[in-house]
Amino acid sequence: MTNIVTVDLEDWFHVCGVSALSREHWSRLPSRIDDTTRWLLDALDAAGIRATFFVLGWVAEHHPQLVTTVRDAGHEIGSHGHHHLRAYDVRPDEFAADLRTSVSALKAVGVTRVTSFRAPEWSINERSLWALGALTQEGFEMDASMAPVRLVGSPAFPRHPHVRQTPSGMITEVPPLVADRFGQVMPVGWGWGLRMSSPRRVLRSIEDMNRSGHPAVLAVHPWEFDIDPPRVRLPAALHFAHYFRLDGFRNRLQSILKEAMFGPLSSLAVPQPVA
Ligand SMILES: [Zn+2]
């Protein structure tokens, strides 16, 4: 069973809802994305893995060479939007406009086809399901924005790839890996949940998922591999999501990548629509 590795290609300051890190400051903040992404590319290469990179359009505009390097290394390119907007914070027309701007920025650096999307901060949830229709309208075939956990998504969301019907067509939804731990649903495939878990624990969750007939989906960001990340004051939940246990994460991720089979989103068998 081939599992999936996804990367949200963004800089450390692409955080939603923090005024000190709002869009007008981005060009002045010290970028860290080149070194951290290059480390990740080497780690994927060492493990023989091709992944899917959800690239922020703004990053494609400001670091065109980096995006070309990612693509030339054989990875797939999807969209992470252009200005890192949460779907439920914007109107449908703003969402669609941002999506189109991101696709144009990706095409401008030579990406020929963009058919997969991940919303910033897992922001497609019950408040913003209309966004799936906007994606199919724009020709997207896969979305990976719905997290089956509380706070950002819902534990009621399916945990495996599935097809969703929208007014403008069908789209395959590819949720990230979760596991039941300590009486709650834990994001074992991304963020603090992935960083706090031992490689053995993560691999066991991947095996459990595979035994049930489904691939496990991991999600990482380049800034999680920064050994000395710039520190900014963030609200408590965001602080935890961004800074909790970065220490040693490079080694832990490498151990996981070595021990299971991984590929990009296109290696997914297309799931059948749920009747
Ligand atoms: Zn993001």
Side-chain angles (χ1 to χ4, degrees):
M1 168 92 54
T2 304
N3 299 290
I4 312 289
V5 177
T6 64
V7 180
D8 294 357
L9 193 63
E10 61 184 30
D11 222 316
W12 65 273
F13 45 77
H14 292 124
V15 182
C16 301
V18 177
S19 58
L21 301 179
S22 61
R23 191 193 304 182
E24 60 271 21
H25 300 300
W26 290 354
S27 297
R28 280 186 285 117
L29 291 165
S31 174
R32 311 274 294 175
I33 199 172
D34 272 297
D35 288 352
T36 49
T37 303
R38 279 171 212 282
W39 178 85
L40 182 57
L41 287 172
D42 287 346
L44 290 169
D45 186 53
I49 294 169
R50 289 191 309 120
T52 293
F53 281 65
F54 295 109
V55 178
L56 195 65
W58 188 91
V59 166
E61 259 178 15
H62 290 77
H63 303 268
Q65 208 138 33
L66 183 65
V67 179
T68 311
T69 303
V70 169
R71 191 206 48 194
D72 291 350
H75 301 291
E76 288 175 7
I77 306 284
S79 167
H80 191 44
H82 196 81
H83 281 124
H84 211 259
L85 310 172
R86 287 183 294 221
Y88 50 75
D89 282 343
V90 294
R91 292 191 314 266
D93 60 312
E94 291 173 295
F95 178 83
D98 184 78
L99 190 60
R100 276 183 228 125
T101 311
S102 82
V103 171
S104 303
L106 293 174
K107 295 208 163 155
V109 298
V111 179
T112 47
R113 213 165 162 263
V114 186
T115 57
S116 60
F117 178 77
R118 172 168 294 138
E121 300 183 7
W122 311 103
S123 57
I124 299 185
N125 56 28
E126 273 127 354
R127 289 199 273 165
S128 48
L129 283 175
W130 52 262
L132 296 175
L135 287 165
T136 51
Q137 187 92 52
E138 298 295 325
F140 282 77
E141 295 164 5
M142 284 197 189
D143 175 66
S145 310
M146 297 181 68
V149 293
R150 247 174 4 98
L151 297 180
V152 289
S154 165
F157 292 164
R159 297 184 179 192
H160 50 80
H162 59 286
V163 173
R164 297 182 83 97
Q165 184 70 52
T166 81
S168 44
M170 311 237 253
I171 191 160
T172 300
E173 180 60 40
V174 187
L177 178 66
V178 295
D180 297 301
R181 287 195 77 190
F182 314 118
Q184 59 164 323
V185 186
M186 184 171 146
V188 84
W190 84 94
W192 62 267
L194 176 58
R195 297 199 302 269
M196 84 169 265
S197 304
S198 68
R200 212 162 48 107
R201 174 69 243 183
V202 177
L203 288 162
R204 212 180 309 143
S205 297
I206 292 173
E207 279 164 28
D208 288 347
M209 194 66 174
N210 292 169
R211 252 198 304 274
S212 70
H214 302 293
V217 178
L218 305 185
V220 295
H221 303 83
W223 48 258
E224 294 178 278
F225 306 105
D226 197 332
I227 33 187
D228 186 21
R231 298 272 167 172
V232 283
R233 196 188 295 263
L234 298 175
L238 274 176
H239 182 91
F240 190 65
H242 275 256
Y243 296 127
F244 178 71
R245 207 171 179 223
L246 295 170
D247 194 40
F249 186 45
R250 287 185 175 201
N251 290 338
R252 291 194 298 281
L253 183 77
Q254 280 178 303
S255 306
I256 296 164
L257 295 182
K258 270 195 304 208
E259 298 295 330
M261 281 245 297
F262 291 100
L265 272 180
S266 66
S267 58
L268 203 70
V270 177
Q272 294 307 303
V274 183

